[in-house]
Amino acid sequence: MKLTAKLTLLFVLLTTLPLSLVGYLAFTNGQRTIHQNTVSLLVSINNLKKANFIDWIENKKDRLSLFAKRPLIVEFSRILVSPGNKNTVEWQNASRKVTDEHFKVSIEGGGGFFELMILRPGDGMIVSSTDERNKFKYREDQPFFKKGREGTYVQNAYYSLSMGQALVTVSTPIKDEKGNLVAVLAGNLNLDEITSIMMQGSGLTRTKETYLVNKFNFMITESRLKPGSLMRRAIYTEGAKKALSGKSGVDQYTDYRGEQVFGAYSWLPEYELAILTEIDVSEAIAPVLAFRNRMITILILVILLVALIGIAVSRTITGPIRKLMTGIEEFGRGVLDKRIDVPSADEIGQLADTFNRMADERKRVEEELQKINKELEGFSYSVSHDLRAPLRAVSGFSNVVLEDYGDQLDDEGKRYLNLIVKNTSKMGNLIDDLLKFSRMGRTDMAFSTVDMKKVAMSACKDMKLVYDDREIEMSLNSLPSIRGDSKLLHQVFSNLISNAMKYTEREEVGKIEIGSKILKDYVTYFVKDNGVGFDMKYVHKLFGVFQRLHSEKDFEGTGVGLALVQKIIHRHGGNVWAEGKVNEGATFFFSLPVKE
Amino acid sequence: MRKAIGFSVIIFVLLLLVSCSRQEAPVPFDKVTVQLKWVHQAQFAGLYVAREKGYFAEEKIDVEFNEGGSNIDNVGEVTSGNAQFGITAPEHIIRERLSGIKIRAIAVVFRRNPLVFVSKKGSGIKRPADFLNHTIATSKDSRVQLQAMMEKLGLDSNQLKHVPYDRTYKSFLNGDIDIQSRYITGSVQQLMSAGYKFNIILPSDYGIHLYSDTLFTTDKLINSDPDLILRFLRASLKGWRYAVENVEEAVEITLKFAKEKDRELQTKMMEAQLPLIHTGEDQIGWMKAEIWEGMSKLLLEQKVISEPADLEKVYTMKFLEDIYGKMM
């Protein structure tokens, strides 16, 4: 991994880990708090509504029983329930006065009952009612009538076919001063009123609602969330079941809509009603989710910020390093004037300074070496050049002596003179090669794209002419083209092939293989033979000037060929090396850089 | 971790169940036919819902409904085995039982009787006492209730002027008939929504409490396959519960069965029958001894039957109690 990435990751980890931990703790803590709050809120709302409902209904009961105790009501009731003609003035009077002067006044005064009536205790006939239509109907089968004879009773939520609506009826006995039952007083209450008690204040939330369920599982108040539930929807939820079995509590369960809710439930034994307050889990935990989302957003922002900071900070470290790296690379490629500018005073700045100093030194040494080298080359050139003239004189005059004074010399003398001539000619060859070699260091090179195969083939052809008496098996593989000086590269192949031919002299069939191998930045060419080979011990001597591994008697030559090859390849920026084994052939490699 | 274990256990069990159920042959469905009281209409919505919602299928029951009609003997269809369950009036069941036919009620769908008497608004006929000296047209099945009601109120039914019943409203609307017996679930609703105003006199306001649509089956089936009855009833009641809670959808489902595709009519019927099915007291289908006793007494008083019925044999609470648990 790159240093920038490493540093950035480290930064991010160091900041996000503690942040996530704190966030997680805050989240779970918040969740717990909200859950507790929700639960206690639901329970207190449920209790409040319960209290409101009980207040409301008890108030109605009180009103009704106070009503039943009014002496005039008792008196009128006695008349109304008495058997006999209902058309008497007394009866009509009582009926009118009860409804007009008492009942209607109470209803209009906002007593909460929408209908008040008096029932005959024997058969449940309505003898008087504020609703004229209900007069003389019978309610003998209704619980409010049966139980209302004994005490104040609430018949909760039933559907009256006769009234065409759902209602609650409160009833109470009307008794005379001796405590004898005279009649039953009953009042009808609208279920809407209970619904409005349950709905009060629910509007602040989206899903919170309180409702009542009777013992037959029917919802007796309207649902906020599913209108049309009043007296229609049967509730068999976990909460309702528990409440109906007399328990109170709070739970999470699936409600009648199939939604997950938190619900507080309670049983009202006196009225045989269950009261439930529920809120959707999704709404209850919405603040927690919002908090979580906020945390995640913050975390992402922090990560981004830290990553940016991390990248910026690591850039200040890696930037100079990279500069240093490219500088060194460039310097390595031979740009000796390359210096690295890192102004900081830290370790990297010091490193750059050190490098710069080293580069200065290196450049100085290199230039000095070049100078010395040039001087040396010039020297060897002039030496070899100047050597030729005296040598020619020695050779020339030796020949003159042989020709003009040969008869005055004995055989021994002639032989010596011949030796002198031969050795001067050999020395001449040596000087020629030396000249060639030193010239090589000075001539300019003409770079072009060289078709190496063509070059190698032409070199082969030349060499075959030289060694026309030999039987050679040549195999020439594909050779990629490369940039270089074609004349010099021709020289390289000529030398290597000539070498190979020379050292395979003793083989019946000389085998020479020329090939190549493409590496990333270099192409390596090789010339392989099956000749005498060499001992790897002396491999370092192969490319030295006048260095020879074999005696001149065995193989002729001056020992400049391979040195020349090395010089040419080095001037191309390449490299030469060789592999071999005694009597098992040798392979000479040279690699050249691939340049655009 | 514990969760993960629990989860994998559940998965494992589920896989086991799946693989087991694959190996086993599918449980065969019981084929059941219900003889309806009348033609397909919202009156039987709960049953249609139970079928379309798959409640019968859940109970491994393949159900079919046979329409009723004026010339179809509901009880006969069930006793002959053409149907396993039937819907009919409770007085019918009492009468048949007394005549030795071994059928029994298992639940009451309409726990209030839809029969009413209607008079025109403004006619001054508001209660049974006002019926005297007016023309009244009653259907056959309403006569007993009328008679019983008059007697209960101590009114002389000889002072009623009976005229032939007219299914259409023509004679009623043109004034030839003052009072007519009708079903509150039927055309009364239509006419009311058309703007006509009526006085509606409910027998139940005057001490006449009769059940109406009642589910029954044979003693034979009760003894041989009580489990089938339990399953059938459970699915039916579930269907009725759903229909009560979801009127619109129940009507939609009814329209798939009914020949009368009038959505408004079926909706009106559905809404009108809601308080009959679900009264706010007791669960859907529930039956009370006092009502059965009252009906028997009424029939005896009206001489529809000549001896008191043995109510133990007329209805059974066994299945309702199994479904809802015992009530006080």
Side-chain angles (χ1 to χ4, degrees):
Chain A
M1 206 194 287
K2 285 251 173 82
L3 196 59
T4 310
K6 266 189 198 165
L7 284 171
T8 311
L9 193 70
L10 191 70
F11 267 87
V12 169
L13 282 180
L14 281 179
T15 46
T16 50
L17 277 182
L19 198 67
S20 314
L21 191 69
V22 169
Y24 176 73
L25 289 177
F27 174 70
T28 50
N29 195 41
Q31 197 172 27
R32 203 164 40 240
T33 311
I34 285 177
H35 187 260
Q36 278 164 1
N37 286 351
T38 307
V39 162
S40 54
L41 184 73
L42 285 178
V43 171
S44 55
I45 288 175
N46 207 43
N47 287 338
L48 180 75
K49 299 277 180 185
K50 187 161 107 181
N52 286 351
F53 172 72
I54 292 172
D55 276 356
W56 181 80
I57 197 80
E58 288 301 322
N59 174 272
K60 305 299 171 213
K61 280 163 76 178
D62 288 350
R63 260 169 196 275
L64 203 71
S65 49
L66 278 175
F67 227 101
K69 288 191 180 81
R70 287 189 191 176
L72 271 173
I73 296 283
V74 180
E75 189 48 42
F76 289 137
S77 299
R78 210 200 311 273
I79 297 165
L80 288 170
V81 300
S82 63
N85 199 340
K86 294 179 182 67
N87 294 324
T88 60
V89 179
E90 195 191 17
W91 199 94
Q92 293 284 349
N93 216 20
S95 176
R96 191 177 45 77
K97 282 197 167 164
V98 163
T99 49
D100 291 357
E101 291 174 13
H102 294 271
F103 289 173
K104 282 188 180 159
V105 171
S106 169
I107 289 169
E108 279 154 20
F113 294 104
F114 70 86
E115 183 188 0
L116 285 165
M117 56 200 154
I118 294 172
L119 296 99
R120 212 149 64 179
D123 58 5
M125 187 174 87
I126 299 169
V127 289
S128 181
S129 169
T130 49
D131 189 336
E132 196 60 32
R133 290 170 304 177
N134 291 335
K135 227 169 176 176
F136 308 131
K137 285 180 182 174
Y138 289 77
R139 295 289 181 253
E140 86 293 347
D141 61 325
Q142 291 296 322
F144 78 81
F145 169 70
K146 294 182 200 163
K147 300 251 174 81
R149 288 189 292 194
E150 287 139 29
T152 307
Y153 177 78
V154 179
Q155 181 177 353
N156 74 52
Y158 63 103
Y159 195 91
S160 166
L161 199 59
S162 170
M163 309 276 294
Q165 71 176 106
L167 42 86
V168 173
T169 305
V170 185
S171 58
T172 193
I174 298 174
K175 290 178 179 170
D176 64 16
E177 54 275 20
K178 288 178 204 143
N180 295 323
L181 181 68
V182 177
V184 174
L185 176 65
N188 286 336
L189 292 164
N190 213 318
L191 277 182
D192 295 348
E193 275 198 58
I194 310 180
T195 296
S196 67
I197 291 175
M198 296 302 144
M199 286 211 182
Q200 252 165 35
S202 304
L204 295 173
T205 59
R206 190 168 51 79
T207 61
K208 198 180 74 214
E209 64 170 350
T210 306
Y211 56 90
L212 292 170
V213 173
N214 72 8
K215 64 176 170 177
F216 309 111
N217 294 72
F218 281 102
M219 206 158 162
I220 67 148
T221 52
E222 187 53 288
S223 160
R224 222 190 123 197
L225 309 169
K226 274 218 164 170
S229 296
L230 180 95
M231 291 298 286
R232 278 198 197 173
R233 197 166 298 283
I235 310 292
Y236 286 94
T237 61
E238 220 36 57
K241 279 182 195 161
K242 283 187 181 162
L244 290 179
S245 62
K247 289 180 194 134
S248 290
V250 65
D251 251 327
Q252 184 181 337
Y253 52 85
T254 310
D255 80 346
Y256 59 92
R257 295 166 301 148
E259 298 287 334
Q260 277 291 306
V261 294
F262 291 120
Y265 47 84
S266 190
W267 174 241
L268 288 72
E270 201 182 333
Y271 312 99
E272 296 192 307
L273 288 174
I275 184 164
L276 294 102
T277 302
E278 294 166 349
I279 188 166
D280 281 10
V281 169
S282 64
E283 185 180 0
I285 64 164
V288 182
L289 293 181
F291 177 68
R292 189 193 63 189
N293 291 346
R294 216 156 42 232
M295 280 300 301
I296 290 171
T297 316
I298 289 172
L299 206 63
I300 289 170
L301 285 177
V302 165
I303 288 173
L304 283 177
L305 196 69
V306 166
L308 283 176
I309 292 173
I311 289 168
V313 168
S314 49
R315 277 266 167 86
T316 64
I317 299 169
T318 56
I321 291 179
R322 190 166 314 175
K323 223 166 168 187
L324 209 59
M325 226 157 64
T326 51
I328 290 171
E329 208 170 292
E330 211 173 317
F331 188 83
R333 278 204 306 268
V335 187
L336 296 179
D337 286 327
K338 183 70 196 173
R339 292 298 177 273
I340 297 158
D341 179 30
V342 178
S344 65
D346 57 16
E347 286 82 346
I348 296 169
Q350 286 170 17
L351 183 62
D353 285 345
T354 312
F355 169 81
N356 285 343
R357 277 202 303 281
M358 186 200 80
D360 286 345
E361 184 61 21
R362 167 87 194 273
K363 194 188 171 198
R364 196 184 59 75
V365 169
E366 192 124 328
E367 278 168 355
E368 206 164 294
L369 276 175
Q370 266 172 10
K371 215 167 89 193
I372 292 167
N373 216 22
K374 267 213 176 100
E375 278 170 12
L376 216 59
E377 275 172 355
F379 171 74
S380 66
Y381 179 77
S382 51
V383 165
S384 42
H385 191 264
D386 293 351
L387 279 175
R388 285 174 72 96
L391 196 64
R392 249 198 311 273
V394 172
S395 159
F397 284 113
S398 297
N399 276 326
V400 170
V401 171
L402 264 179
E403 281 169 23
D404 294 354
Y405 306 96
D407 47 351
Q408 293 173 27
L409 294 171
D410 58 6
D411 287 351
E412 194 69 359
K414 278 182 201 165
R415 195 173 67 87
Y416 288 149
L417 271 177
N418 273 328
L419 270 174
I420 290 170
V421 171
K422 197 180 162 195
N423 274 298
T424 49
S425 131
K426 191 177 159 195
M427 190 169 174
N429 280 339
L430 276 171
I431 289 169
D432 281 350
D433 281 353
L434 201 60
L435 262 176
K436 220 194 265 173
F437 180 75
S438 63
R439 213 180 283 132
M440 188 54 61
R442 287 136 52 106
T443 49
D444 293 327
M445 296 204 298
F447 271 91
S448 63
T449 301
V450 181
D451 182 345
M452 291 295 265
K453 181 133 189 179
K454 221 163 150 187
V455 170
M457 265 159 62
S458 127
C460 276
K461 222 159 123 195
D462 291 353
M463 287 308 118
K464 270 186 179 156
L465 288 175
V466 178
Y467 297 89
D468 57 349
D469 56 332
R470 294 282 315 282
E471 191 178 331
I472 301 288
E473 209 173 84
M474 271 281 196
S475 71
L476 191 58
N477 298 317
S478 76
L479 303 174
S481 298
I482 200 139
R483 277 190 74 77
D485 184 313
S486 69
K487 242 158 112 187
L488 294 180
L489 291 175
H490 187 272
Q491 179 78 56
V492 168
F493 274 118
S494 296
N495 286 12
L496 290 177
I497 293 164
S498 131
N499 241 17
M501 286 183 162
K502 198 160 63 188
Y503 291 103
T504 53
E505 230 170 35
R506 293 179 190 169
E507 305 298 321
E508 257 179 63
V509 180
K511 284 183 186 165
I512 298 172
E513 185 192 346
I514 300 171
S516 68
K517 198 169 159 192
I518 302 170
L519 294 166
K520 200 179 156 206
D521 297 326
Y522 287 87
V523 180
T524 299
Y525 302 90
F526 64 86
V527 178
K528 188 178 175 186
D529 65 58
N530 62 339
V532 293
F534 59 89
D535 190 337
M536 280 301 273
K537 234 190 318 195
Y538 307 112
V539 73
H540 62 281
K541 285 187 168 178
L542 273 178
F543 298 98
V545 186
F546 303 135
Q547 296 279 2
R548 300 193 40 131
L549 296 188
H550 303 274
S551 81
E552 206 176 329
K553 257 186 248 163
D554 295 337
F555 299 100
E556 58 181 15
T558 56
V560 174
L562 284 177
L564 206 60
V565 166
Q566 186 179 47
K567 185 130 199 164
I568 292 169
I569 296 303
H570 279 176
R571 286 199 74 186
H572 276 85
N575 227 334
V576 290
W577 67 98
E579 283 169 7
K581 238 179 177 180
V582 178
N583 294 329
E584 285 183 25
T587 309
F588 288 85
F589 300 91
F590 64 93
S591 63
L592 292 172
V594 176
K595 285 178 197 156
E596 285 307 306
Chain B
M1 189 60 195
R2 213 183 297 161
K3 260 187 191 171
I5 291 174
F7 191 64
S8 38
V9 166
I10 288 170
I11 295 276
F12 178 70
V13 169
L14 282 177
L15 282 175
L16 211 65
L17 285 176
V18 167
S19 55
C20 284
S21 59
R22 262 195 203 148
Q23 283 162 8
E24 276 172 27
V27 179
F29 274 48
D30 286 306
K31 275 201 182 287
V32 157
T33 303
V34 184
Q35 178 59 53
L36 303 179
K37 197 179 172 194
W38 198 243
V39 296
H40 286 308
Q41 56 180 349
Q43 189 177 358
F44 312 108
L47 294 175
Y48 306 143
V49 168
R51 182 174 138 157
E52 294 299 302
K53 283 270 163 191
Y55 301 157
F56 282 120
E58 279 169 23
E59 301 282 3
K60 305 283 177 208
I61 289 173
D62 193 357
V63 74
E64 255 183 60
F65 306 123
N66 284 353
E67 281 190 313
S70 45
N71 50 359
I72 290 174
D73 173 13
N74 287 5
V75 172
E77 286 295 305
V78 176
T79 52
S80 70
N82 281 346
Q84 284 67 49
F85 298 93
I87 297 173
T88 194
E91 59 266 32
H92 197 185
I93 297 172
I94 295 176
R95 235 172 36 223
E96 295 281 339
R97 187 80 215 191
L98 278 171
S99 70
I101 309 287
K102 290 182 175 158
I103 53 166
R104 226 183 267 228
I106 55 169
V108 172
V109 180
F110 285 9
R111 288 180 293 148
R112 283 167 176 169
N113 203 295
L115 187 94
V116 297
F117 296 96
V118 294
S119 68
K120 268 196 247 176
K121 196 115 193 163
S123 65
I125 304 166
K126 293 178 185 167
R127 42 183 73 93
D130 305 329
F131 286 8
L132 303 180
N133 302 316
H134 283 100
T135 51
I136 182 163
T138 51
S139 61
K140 208 173 100 193
D141 49 347
S142 67
R143 232 156 271 156
V144 176
Q145 291 202 49
L146 177 66
Q147 193 65 29
M149 184 168 73
M150 299 306 270
E151 276 178 28
K152 197 148 211 162
L153 296 175
L155 299 166
D156 180 6
S157 41
N158 290 329
Q159 292 182 44
L160 296 171
K161 291 180 188 166
H162 283 285
V163 292
Y165 192 69
D166 175 17
R167 282 206 174 277
T168 72
Y169 274 79
K170 230 184 238 166
S171 332
F172 177 75
L173 292 176
N174 68 23
D176 289 349
I177 297 173
D178 294 325
I179 307 145
Q180 198 171 24
S181 72
R182 282 285 164 181
Y183 283 113
I184 198 165
T185 50
S187 48
V188 175
Q189 298 294 331
Q190 258 180 314
L191 284 168
M192 284 201 296
S193 56
Y196 291 99
K197 292 203 167 120
F198 301 107
N199 294 321
I200 295 172
I201 297 103
L202 297 167
S204 64
D205 276 339
Y206 301 97
I208 308 300
H209 304 288
L210 294 182
Y211 282 149
S212 185
D213 289 14
T214 302
L215 269 169
F216 71 96
T217 186
T218 58
D219 280 10
K220 204 171 129 196
L221 194 63
I222 291 174
N223 293 328
S224 65
D225 198 351
D227 183 55
L228 175 64
I229 297 173
L230 185 69
R231 277 150 49 213
F232 171 78
L233 190 57
R234 193 159 46 207
S236 307
L237 294 174
K238 198 171 170 188
W240 272 115
R241 189 183 135 203
Y242 190 88
V244 168
E245 287 179 9
N246 304 279
V247 169
E248 248 177 77
E249 199 182 335
V251 169
E252 205 58 49
I253 291 172
T254 298
L255 290 174
K256 288 190 198 168
F257 291 83
K259 282 197 193 75
E260 184 62 75
K261 303 281 182 199
D262 185 339
R263 182 187 305 272
E264 209 194 319
L265 177 82
Q266 301 290 1
T267 305
K268 288 273 174 208
M269 177 179 269
M270 188 67 206
E271 276 172 354
Q273 73 194 15
L274 285 181
L276 311 180
I277 296 159
H278 155 53
T279 63
E281 298 155 292
D282 304 316
Q283 265 99 350
I284 291 170
W286 197 255
M287 302 184 285
K288 278 180 165 171
E290 61 197 74
I291 305 282
W292 278 105
E293 282 157 17
M295 287 193 293
S296 170
K297 196 167 148 236
L298 186 144
L299 293 177
L300 193 63
E301 282 168 3
Q302 292 305 313
K303 299 187 177 63
V304 175
I305 53 176
S306 49
E307 49 175 325
D310 180 2
L311 291 174
E312 290 271 298
K313 288 182 176 166
V314 169
Y315 74 99
T316 174
M317 289 299 290
K318 182 174 168 342
F319 304 104
L320 284 170
E321 279 170 357
D322 269 359
I323 291 166
Y324 290 122
K326 284 200 199 266
M327 293 273 145
M328 50 247 93

